[in-house]
């Protein structure tokens, strides 16, 4: 029991005793001494009561902070012990889920409807190592959600932010018109006239569902838990990661695909520049300069660059200064760190046209802590079983459904280059 509650109860008893004494017309010496003792105790308890409240208030705040984070921490610990092996055996043999896996699945089902067994996105982590004890994997590596899902994702390297959505649509209001500023021209003149504060909404909608199918052979199902864990994680991670990267940049916006930032540059309002010349640092420098002029980036090191491997080959093969041997690639990474340069043959279309063939590139930057690209995912991955199509071989076909979308908050944080020869 709290000390303040104990003191309150004692104060109530003292008041009751004093009320009985005060009601008497004549008091004995013992009753008078008792009244004085109770009065001193009451005054002393008032001081103790205030001190107890101060101490308990600090304890409540500490306990409140712990309670606010405890649920998320406990859920994260449960996901760390989530076993895809149990999901596969439950779908194949009807084996009941148990332990942390059952708790996570029950929690996901309470938040949304799934035809199959829901699998949290975090469970798709390709773990660097496992410490197996009594067949329970114990992950030794924990990373942020977008890195944990796809550590080598091009979207992640280009600054895209993964947004987890339970249900419905999410919009990102972006200011398009705001405060005005201006000096008072004369002593009696007015300052700049006000204008309405306006925003434009950049929505993420659950209109695009990605399907991933995999076949687990009977041999794989009978293998040890850790082996199946890694096999399923690698397959699903690689398939979803590759499809997500391509959709983020090259999605057509039709046939179920979300609209990618390069394919939909005109729709998003992203500036696109046709180079029409050989790959060079000068072409990229012009776009970096445009970022800084628009206050989107403070320096070239704040810019991220996505290019095709063929463009890197051309840059590294073009010598800018024959005497020193400095190439166009050397000039580029001198200003844009090599860690900010992503090369992908999946996120960008293959060079076409020509000769010479032409390619595209994308530059992004994060401004004011706002990511240039948002990738929304809804709920968890819905894992559905099909034991019939491969029944003759005893294999199990799994279909994983993942709903996701792509949007751009501020077009000024992205720039597209086309016609790089």
């Amino acid at each position: 029991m709290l000390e303040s509650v104990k003191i309150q109860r004692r104060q109530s008893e003292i008041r009751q005793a004093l009320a009985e004494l005060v009601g008497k017309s004549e008091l004995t010496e013992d009753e008078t001494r008792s009244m004085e003792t109770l009065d001193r105790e009451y005054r002393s308890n008032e001081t103790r009561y205030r001190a107890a409240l101060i101490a308990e208030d600090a304890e409540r705040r500490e306990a409140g902070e712990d309670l606010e984070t405890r649920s998320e921490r406990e859920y994260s610990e449960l996901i760390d012990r989530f076993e895809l092996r149990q999901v596969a055996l439950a779908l194949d043999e009807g084996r009941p889920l148990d332990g942390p896996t059952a708790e996570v699945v029950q929690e996901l089902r309470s938040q949304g409807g799934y035809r199959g067994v829901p699998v949290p996105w975090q469970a798709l982590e390709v773990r660097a190592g496992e410490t197996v004890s009594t067949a329970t994997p114990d992950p030794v590596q924990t990373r942020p959600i977008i890195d944990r899902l796809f550590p080598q994702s091009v979207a992640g390297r280009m600054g895209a932010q993964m947004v987890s959505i339970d249900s419905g649509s999410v919009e990102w209001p972006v200011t398009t018109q705001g405060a005005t500023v201006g000096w008072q021209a004369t002593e009696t003149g007015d300052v700049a006239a006000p204008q309405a504060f306006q925003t434009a909404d950049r929505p993420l909608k659950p209109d695009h569902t990605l399907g991933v199918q995999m076949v687990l052979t009977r041999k794989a199902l009978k293998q040890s838990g850790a082996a199946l864990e890694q096999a399923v994680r690698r397959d699903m991670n690689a398939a979803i990661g590759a499809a997500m990267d391509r959709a983020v940049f090259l999605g057509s916006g039709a046939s179920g695909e979300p609209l990618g930032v390069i394919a939909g540059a005109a729709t998003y309002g992203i500036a696109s520049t046709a180079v029409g010349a050989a790959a060079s640092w000068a072409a990229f420098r012009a776009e970096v300069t445009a970022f800084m002029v628009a206050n989107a980036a403070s320096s070239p090191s704040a810019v991220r660059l996505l290019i095709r491997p063929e463009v890197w080959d051309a840059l590294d093969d073009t010598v800018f200064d024959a005497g020193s041997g400095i190439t166009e690639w050397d000039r580029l990474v001198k200003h844009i760190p090599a860690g900010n340069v992503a090369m992908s043959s999946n996120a960008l279309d293959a060079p076409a046209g020509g000769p010479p063939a032409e390619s595209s590139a994308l530059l992004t930057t994060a401004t004011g802590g706002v990511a240039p690209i948002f990738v929304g995912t809804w709920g968890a991955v819905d894992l559905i079983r099909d034991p019939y199509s491969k029944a003759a071989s005893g294999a199990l076909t799994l279909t994983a459904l993942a709903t996701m979308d792509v949007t751009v908050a501020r077009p000024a944080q992205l720039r597209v280059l086309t016609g790089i020869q």
Side-chain angles (χ1 to χ4, degrees):
M1 184 184 297
L2 293 175
E3 188 65 24
S4 61
V5 176
K6 294 179 181 178
I7 295 174
Q8 276 185 311
R9 289 187 176 182
R10 178 54 185 161
Q11 295 292 74
S12 178
E13 293 172 357
I14 293 174
R15 285 193 297 269
Q16 185 176 357
L18 288 173
E20 293 176 358
L21 293 173
V22 170
K24 292 184 178 182
S25 57
E26 295 182 2
L27 296 176
T28 64
E29 293 182 2
D30 291 339
E31 289 174 336
T32 302
R33 283 193 298 270
S34 175
M35 183 181 291
E36 292 174 354
T37 303
L38 290 173
D39 181 61
R40 284 195 301 270
E41 182 182 356
Y42 189 88
R43 291 197 301 269
S44 174
N45 284 349
E46 285 295 306
T47 304
R48 292 178 56 223
Y49 179 68
R50 288 194 295 270
L53 286 179
I54 294 173
E56 290 166 5
D57 182 61
E59 293 175 3
R60 286 191 187 96
R61 283 198 297 268
E62 293 175 1
E65 293 174 358
D66 182 62
L67 288 173
E68 288 175 1
T69 58
R70 184 180 298 170
S71 60
E72 294 182 4
R73 185 171 64 248
E74 290 177 348
Y75 186 66
S76 177
E77 291 172 355
L78 284 176
I79 289 180
D80 286 342
R81 292 183 288 162
F82 187 93
E83 292 182 296
L84 283 173
R85 175 175 57 91
Q86 282 198 43
V87 175
L89 293 176
L91 293 173
D92 181 51
E93 304 173 359
R95 181 180 299 183
L97 301 175
D98 57 30
T101 304
E103 292 185 46
V104 172
V105 170
Q106 183 178 1
E107 177 68 20
L108 291 173
R109 286 194 186 281
S110 69
Q111 297 178 3
Y114 298 93
R115 292 182 57 195
V117 179
V119 176
W121 285 92
Q122 297 92 321
L124 299 185
E125 174 187 2
V126 178
R127 295 166 178 169
E130 301 284 349
T131 302
V132 180
S133 174
T134 64
T136 302
D138 182 18
V140 297
Q141 192 168 9
T142 303
R143 291 168 287 178
I145 184 168
I146 193 166
D147 296 330
R148 176 166 50 200
L149 287 173
F150 311 108
Q152 301 303 320
S153 166
V154 176
R157 295 185 61 188
M158 292 301 291
Q161 179 180 340
M162 187 75 76
V163 181
S164 180
I165 306 169
D166 291 332
S167 61
S169 300
V170 174
E171 292 184 339
W172 300 87
V174 179
T175 301
T176 57
Q177 179 176 288
T180 57
V181 61
W183 293 99
Q184 185 181 27
T186 63
E187 183 178 354
T188 58
D190 295 334
V191 295
Q195 61 181 3
F197 186 85
Q198 297 179 0
T199 61
D201 292 331
R202 309 291 183 184
L204 285 169
K205 298 181 179 179
D207 296 336
H208 313 284
T209 297
L210 173 69
V212 179
Q213 288 194 327
M214 67 183 74
V215 177
L216 299 181
T217 64
R218 183 173 179 81
K219 178 181 178 181
L221 290 168
K222 302 304 179 184
Q223 283 178 334
S224 62
L228 186 57
E229 286 282 315
Q230 291 294 340
V232 174
R233 290 181 200 275
R234 278 195 302 268
D235 270 353
M236 292 188 67
N237 183 285
I240 294 178
M244 184 196 72
D245 273 344
R246 183 164 184 81
V248 167
F249 301 103
L250 299 177
S252 63
S255 302
E257 291 184 350
L259 183 61
V261 297
I262 295 178
T267 303
Y268 288 120
I270 300 170
S272 181
T273 303
V275 177
S280 66
W281 159 239
F284 298 106
R285 182 180 59 202
E287 301 306 306
V288 173
T289 303
F291 271 139
M292 293 190 290
V293 170
N295 292 321
S298 58
S299 67
S301 62
V303 176
R304 298 172 183 264
L305 174 63
L306 172 61
I307 58 175
R308 289 273 309 188
E310 295 89 342
V311 173
W312 165 79
D313 181 66
L315 288 168
D316 198 48
D317 193 48
T318 303
V319 178
F320 171 73
D321 185 353
S324 63
I326 297 176
T327 65
E328 292 289 343
W329 175 253
D330 294 329
R331 298 178 68 202
L332 187 148
V333 295
K334 178 182 177 182
H335 301 283
I336 300 179
N340 285 12
V341 181
M343 302 183 206
S344 174
S345 59
N346 176 50
L348 292 172
D349 284 328
E358 295 182 341
S359 182
S360 300
L362 175 69
L363 294 91
T364 68
T365 185
T367 306
V370 178
I373 306 167
F374 291 100
V375 181
T377 59
W378 276 261
V381 179
D382 196 355
L383 201 59
I384 304 171
R385 68 188 291 253
D386 174 14
Y388 305 110
S389 59
K390 300 288 184 180
S393 63
L396 174 67
T397 301
L398 298 180
T399 300
L401 301 178
T403 301
M404 58 180 64
D405 194 15
V406 179
T407 194
V408 171
R410 288 195 288 233
Q413 293 178 230
L414 301 93
R415 300 187 72 85
V416 175
L417 284 177
T418 61
I420 303 174
Q421 298 174 354

